[in-house]
Amino acid sequence: MLSRSSLVLALLTCFAFTTMAAAGRIEQKSFMKKSYAGSRDRQYQVFVPSGYTGQSPVPMVMVLHGCGQTEVNMINETRFKDLAERDNFIVVYPFITSFDPLPQRAPNCWGFFIDEHIHEGAGEVEDLYQMALEVEAAFKIDPNRRYVTGLSSGAGMAVDLAVAHNEYFAAAGSVEGLPYSETSSSVAFLGCNVQGRFKPVSAVVAAMRAEQSKPDEQRPIPIMAIHARNDCKVNVTGSEHIRDSWLDRYGINRAAVATTDCTARGVACTHTKYGLPRRSVVETVLYEGDRGFNSAHYWVGDNSGQFANPNGPSASELQWTFFKGHPFADNPPPSVSITSASATGTSITVTGSAAASAGPLAEVSVRLDGQFPQPQKIASGTTAWTVAFDNLRNNANYLPVAIAKDNDGLTASVTGQAVAVGVPPNNVPPVVAIDNLSIRGDCITLIGSASDTDDQVARVEVQLATRGFKPADLSQGSYQYQECGLPAGTYSTQAQATDVLGAKSAIASGPNANVSDLEVVTANWQVHMNAGRLRVYGARCPSIGFGACDVGFLEIFSANQFNPFPLQRKAASPDWYVHRENIP
């Protein structure tokens, strides 16, 4: 139980945050477990600035909490929300939500040190990437300006994301973080007198190279590492190894191109850049931390908080400035077109052209989709290119797909017309089914299967009632579709699949979904408060003052402490209730 003075302080914090959060809005989201190993249901919150209209693409910054924290700490204790309101970008705040207890880890730690969670295609690193894709499906995000950062274990996971998905994120940040594939032994559990043990940089570089084996993963993703020189929990060696592993992995000169004094609020600080004078690849910000505050292991220079110290250079402002100066590429992506695709016997020759807005193209590659797909081949030439596929299966259709990549790593693709080898049989349409339907609050989720006996399924689309067909997430013969914010009512469900040659399946119908006129959200009081569900209610509510419409905050906190509890309201009503029977 909180003491009376602590409770008063908590209430004052509530009021202050409620006032501060007036600009823009925070949306609470649910991430549904995927089929790959290590995936879990997770919660996350998205800050949408008041200037966002959905008409023009905006940047996206993902901010990851550290051990013992939730996404609420990052909302309150960093300044990304304020910067997003000022400069009009989307901020994503994931919450780890749940995790396997083994190998042993402290509460709410991201598994930056667990092999199952740091590789593309599985675990937490893939869940976070898929979460970013969900945000892109809901909001208009600039693909040239996607960023990720975090604190402590969240910084370690941000580094993991930067390595595992460097083809997706434009740049990354790390505050008191650790290099890729580092072990938990790097964290000092016994205070300032016993430092953690770190892998040699060569082992980190080898792990990075092993993870980045594909041609589109060779781009040196820019990164900024911020660290207290006297951090007793994660030694500054962590950020020094981030720097050194990046320089070695991408062949960057170890000599700094710029060093400046970033001293702020009396805290000594040095900002160093590596790469090219016009565009750095690695930047470090090393400052003198306050060992009297969490052993100098905290988010620096922004708001006060349990894991944040306002004294020093602003980690949020430094990283946002770095991010703004590091889009995925300084130039727009290339263009590519297919001029012709023709068959001779059991061979297909594809020709075309490509161009980059500045500088030469790196390569053009072509693959053939269809019932007997052919792997990607590097074309001969770039601005004018050609590629031949020989010894193809006879009596089949093939669909050419060309991909151009420039020297910045940006890509563009185009799909041509189907080419017949021999006399293919009539194209059999795909088959689709709705296998499972679930309803959570105002969200409907459909999971199903799609297959094609003579071709590949290109896409699956789902329709709820008469809301129009919308694309589902398709992966290895299964698909998932989620739509939230639905008004109360009964929704029929339909799905349709299309193969790569354009044949459509019959429309599959699933069970009806009934969305209640009651919206129910389960979260702890901090999350409810941040979303405006716990706030000051006026005279029309049974409870006057801070809390829910029918119950005051003291009673709510006494019953639930920091544990999650449900609040409910009628759709579109501004008033939230603890007890359903009190809703008029």
Side-chain angles (χ1 to χ4, degrees):
M1 293 291 292
L2 285 177
S3 67
R4 180 176 294 273
S5 60
S6 297
L7 200 50
V8 169
L9 179 60
L11 284 169
L12 289 174
T13 302
C14 293
F15 286 120
F17 185 79
T18 302
T19 302
M20 184 178 65
R25 69 181 189 274
I26 290 181
E27 297 185 4
Q28 184 165 330
K29 304 284 188 179
S30 296
F31 174 84
M32 307 298 289
K33 175 184 177 182
K34 302 296 190 288
S35 59
Y36 48 79
S39 183
R40 284 177 174 259
D41 289 350
R42 303 189 190 278
Q43 304 296 316
Y44 63 103
Q45 299 195 51
V46 179
F47 177 78
V48 185
S50 58
Y52 175 78
T53 64
Q55 300 302 307
S56 300
V58 299
M60 174 181 68
V61 178
M62 177 177 281
V63 185
L64 302 176
H65 64 76
C67 296
Q69 299 177 282
T70 72
E71 80 283 13
V72 177
N73 293 103
M74 306 314 286
I75 293 171
N76 292 349
E77 297 175 11
T78 75
R79 288 188 56 239
F80 278 111
K81 181 169 60 63
D82 304 322
L83 297 176
E85 179 65 18
R86 184 190 75 188
D87 291 347
N88 197 35
F89 61 91
I90 297 287
V91 192
V92 185
Y93 300 97
F95 177 33
I96 192 170
T97 312
S98 65
F99 52 90
D100 294 323
L102 296 175
Q104 189 65 42
R105 52 172 143 168
N108 292 0
C109 279
W110 294 99
F112 70 90
F113 57 95
I114 303 172
D115 191 65
E116 300 95 295
H117 291 297
I118 67 171
H119 301 294
E120 179 180 357
E124 291 167 12
V125 80
E126 189 65 21
D127 275 359
L128 290 167
Y129 168 65
Q130 294 295 330
M131 196 179 288
L133 295 182
E134 285 189 359
V135 175
E136 285 210 68
F139 301 96
K140 197 162 188 175
I141 302 300
D142 185 347
N144 208 30
R145 296 183 292 170
R146 311 179 188 108
Y147 308 101
V148 62
T149 185
L151 170 65
S152 191
S153 76
M157 186 54 73
V159 170
D160 293 342
L161 268 171
V163 173
H165 283 289
N166 81 334
E167 80 293 345
Y168 178 82
F169 289 100
S174 165
V175 179
E176 314 301 313
L178 292 151
Y180 181 73
S181 78
E182 188 54 85
T183 66
S184 59
S185 64
S186 58
V187 179
F189 296 102
L190 299 176
C192 297
N193 295 324
V194 181
Q195 296 183 6
R197 299 190 308 277
F198 290 83
K199 284 183 174 181
V201 171
S202 59
V204 176
V205 173
M208 293 173 69
R209 285 201 175 100
E211 179 64 19
Q212 297 175 334
S213 60
K214 300 175 186 175
D216 64 347
E217 295 174 333
Q218 305 311 307
R219 162 183 168 264
I221 177 172
I223 192 165
M224 171 179 274
I226 300 175
H227 216 114
R229 293 188 182 94
N230 51 349
D231 186 336
C232 293
K233 292 191 177 181
V234 175
N235 190 271
V236 69
T237 302
S239 283
E240 291 172 341
H241 279 199
I242 292 173
R243 175 197 64 200
D244 294 344
S245 61
W246 243 251
L247 298 178
D248 288 1
R249 164 68 182 93
Y250 300 114
I252 299 164
N253 194 319
R254 283 179 169 269
V257 296
T259 300
T260 57
D261 185 350
C262 49
T263 298
R265 301 180 186 179
V267 176
C269 174
T270 304
H271 185 175
T272 309
K273 300 181 180 182
Y274 303 84
L276 298 173
R278 64 177 183 84
R279 183 180 171 92
S280 63
V281 177
V282 178
E283 296 189 16
T284 60
V285 176
L286 305 181
Y287 67 97
E288 296 303 320
D290 178 3
R291 280 192 170 173
F293 185 92
N294 202 34
S295 300
H297 184 74
Y298 49 75
W299 188 275
V300 63
D302 291 323
N303 300 327
S304 297
Q306 184 181 1
F307 300 93
N309 188 327
N311 295 320
S314 168
S316 299
E317 191 77 65
L318 280 163
Q319 289 179 99
W320 175 233
T321 300
F322 176 74
F323 291 160
K324 285 191 294 183
H326 291 79
F328 195 95
D330 293 329
N331 301 302
S335 60
V336 61
S337 63
I338 294 175
T339 305
S340 67
S342 57
T344 302
T346 58
S347 298
I348 290 178
T349 300
V350 187
T351 64
S353 61
S357 60
L361 286 159
E363 66 178 30
V364 175
S365 58
V366 181
R367 71 173 189 269
L368 298 180
D369 288 345
Q371 183 183 7
F372 307 108
Q374 300 300 303
Q376 183 172 290
K377 295 181 70 173
I378 303 300
S380 174
T382 51
T383 53
W385 53 265
T386 183
V387 64
F389 295 86
D390 300 318
N391 301 316
L392 299 174
R393 187 79 66 92
N394 204 8
N395 301 325
N397 286 305
Y398 297 88
L399 195 71
V401 179
I403 303 163
K405 183 172 75 171
D406 66 16
N407 284 334
D408 285 324
L410 291 181
T411 62
S413 65
V414 63
T415 301
Q417 299 296 315
V419 181
V421 172
V423 183
N426 292 332
N427 185 21
V428 178
V431 176
V432 67
I434 297 174
D435 301 324
N436 181 268
L437 180 150
S438 61
I439 304 166
R440 181 184 294 177
D442 61 1
C443 295
I444 294 176
T445 301
L446 293 177
I447 297 175
S449 56
S451 61
D452 197 327
T453 57
D454 65 346
D455 215 335
Q456 293 172 283
V457 177
R459 66 180 181 273
V460 173
E461 297 171 300
V462 171
Q463 177 173 254
L464 302 180
T466 59
R467 297 172 66 85
F469 279 92
K470 298 179 182 179
D473 293 329
L474 179 64
S475 176
Q476 298 180 344
S478 63
Y479 69 88
Q480 180 171 297
Y481 177 82
Q482 183 183 75
E483 191 168 345
C484 295
L486 295 166
T490 300
Y491 294 82
S492 59
T493 59
Q494 296 178 313
Q496 187 172 44
T498 304
D499 67 20
V500 294
L501 298 179
K504 294 183 179 295
S505 71
I507 294 177
S509 296
N512 288 343
N514 295 307
V515 176
S516 169
D517 64 348
L518 288 183
E519 180 183 357
V520 182
V521 178
T522 300
N524 63 38
W525 71 266
Q526 296 163 304
V527 174
H528 282 311
M529 178 191 71
N530 295 342
R533 293 184 286 271
L534 288 180
R535 61 177 186 272
V536 178
Y537 285 87
R540 69 176 180 176
C541 285
S543 176
I544 308 299
F546 191 86
C549 187
D550 59 337
V551 177
F553 179 76
L554 292 178
E555 182 179 339
I556 292 171
F557 187 82
S558 177
N560 301 285
Q561 300 284 310
F562 291 95
N563 298 315
F565 60 91
L567 288 178
Q568 45 251 314
R569 68 174 178 181
K570 281 191 175 179
S573 169
D575 301 330
W576 291 86
Y577 293 79
V578 171
H579 302 296
R580 182 169 300 194
E581 60 272 18
N582 292 338
I583 301 176

